[in-house]
Amino acid sequence: MSIILSTPSVDELSPAVDALKGWQYDGGPLHLHSGDLGWHSLGGAEATAAAIRMWSRDGEALAIGLLDGPELVRMAVAPDWRDDEALARRLAADLDEPGRVLAPHGATVEARGAGLFTQLLLKRGWERDEPWTTFHRGLSDPVQDCGLRIETIEPDRAEVWVAVHWSAFRGSPFTDADRRRTVGGWLAMAGGPFYADARCLAAFDQNDDAVAVAAVWSAGPGRPGLLEPMGVHRSHRGHGYGTAITLAAAAALRDMGSSSASVCVESSNVGAVATYASAGFTPSDEVADLRRGSR
């Protein structure tokens, strides 16, 4: 049978999630993770389903992409199909054709571990973009105590988590409208189809102020879990709180049965690179997204 490109409905999300979980393994690439779908569901399950593209044959998922905006797709290819030439050519053709999957202007593909597919895009004139570094930490041994009080955030404490996250990644004033919108998104994520495998954590200093946050996503027992995102409040940087919340995140994933913890960061983000290294994460070789200019 031929390879079919489709967009799942909300009711069809479970097979996509199950496939992504099964494609995670220690020593493998940090490609699209089920937790990436979970974090994307801040916009709701319907929006997440609409952003997914699945390539399948005879009912079997072969590759899955998440549109993180109209110009970026984050990909995972089934391990047994990464060297399949027919699939690689179909993926390259679909993603290179302006407007079919990606916007007709500039576009970016994240496809870690899909070597044949990557080479085909390069032959079509795509270029390597900025490098990223993947970090892993094995969880066979207990994780040392992080030294701070850690809280697993429940819905009635969502505002605490989103306020720190806003400060870490936006830095602008946190208005009432921002609060309502971000808390609503967090509640949609926590009430959605992905959050059963997740925890949102907050770290508190000696004054009981929330200083750092992280979210962790399990792919099931014995498989690598994902740390995404992690951030420190702008008023509390420089005190080691990033390392502390990262250690807490690793400990939470171990408690959830994950075999290891993984995270990926721009190689140019010197602070984040240092934080993950200080929390016992080991870097892998740099990887780069692929970029296509306007056509």
Side-chain angles (χ1 to χ4, degrees):
M1 296 182 66
S2 59
I3 297 172
I4 297 172
L5 170 61
S6 64
T7 299
S9 65
V10 172
D11 293 337
E12 295 170 330
L13 280 174
S14 290
V17 173
D18 291 342
L20 286 175
K21 288 180 178 179
W23 298 349
Q24 314 299 323
Y25 61 93
D26 288 312
L30 182 53
H31 53 191
L32 185 69
H33 191 282
S34 54
D36 292 311
L37 272 59
W39 180 239
H40 195 275
S41 70
L42 285 166
E46 293 81 5
T48 302
I52 294 173
R53 299 295 181 269
M54 294 183 64
W55 287 262
S56 58
R57 187 166 70 182
D58 197 21
E60 178 188 2
L62 310 181
I64 297 174
L66 174 66
L67 287 169
D68 204 350
E71 299 180 13
L72 170 62
V73 64
R74 304 173 65 191
M75 298 287 300
V77 179
D80 292 342
W81 288 86
R82 287 183 193 141
D83 296 325
D84 185 86
E85 186 172 353
L87 175 61
R89 291 189 179 280
R90 175 63 189 272
L91 293 174
D94 286 341
L95 294 172
D96 192 40
E97 180 181 341
R100 179 162 177 77
V101 175
L102 292 164
H105 36 85
T108 302
V109 171
E110 174 194 293
R112 299 168 191 150
L116 181 57
F117 165 50
T118 296
Q119 290 303 315
L120 290 176
L121 286 182
L122 290 171
K123 289 180 180 179
R124 287 171 172 260
W126 290 60
E127 299 177 348
R128 298 188 187 277
D129 207 353
E130 65 175 310
W132 293 68
T133 300
T134 300
F135 286 85
H136 301 277
R137 174 172 174 150
L139 298 176
S140 58
D141 296 324
V143 180
Q144 63 266 42
D145 184 81
C146 72
L148 297 177
R149 183 174 77 82
I150 302 296
E151 181 179 331
T152 299
I153 299 298
E154 300 294 340
D156 62 341
R157 295 276 282 168
E159 184 174 327
V160 173
W161 198 94
V162 300
V164 177
H165 182 266
W166 182 277
S167 173
F169 290 95
R170 300 293 184 92
S172 58
F174 193 47
T175 67
D176 287 341
D178 295 328
R179 182 176 294 104
R180 288 191 297 270
R181 185 175 65 257
T182 54
V183 168
W186 192 96
L187 292 174
M189 176 187 71
F194 311 101
Y195 199 70
D197 299 313
R199 293 181 189 174
C200 280
L201 309 174
F204 295 81
D205 67 6
Q206 59 185 2
N207 298 317
D208 213 32
D209 292 326
V211 295
V213 295
V216 293
W217 307 85
S218 168
R223 297 188 181 278
L226 178 69
L227 167 55
E228 170 64 26
M230 182 279 288
V232 178
H233 195 288
R234 287 175 183 261
S235 298
H236 297 279
R237 290 178 174 171
H239 301 286
Y241 296 144
T243 299
I245 193 66
T246 301
L247 287 170
L253 284 171
R254 186 176 190 273
D255 184 60
M256 297 164 76
S258 297
S259 57
S260 61
S262 299
V263 65
C264 197
V265 63
E266 299 98 329
S267 300
S268 60
N269 189 339
V270 177
V273 167
T275 293
Y276 294 125
S278 69
F281 283 65
T282 301
S284 300
D285 292 338
E286 288 184 329
V287 292
D289 297 342
L290 298 182
R291 178 174 48 83
R292 184 199 69 202
S294 299
R295 291 182 179 173

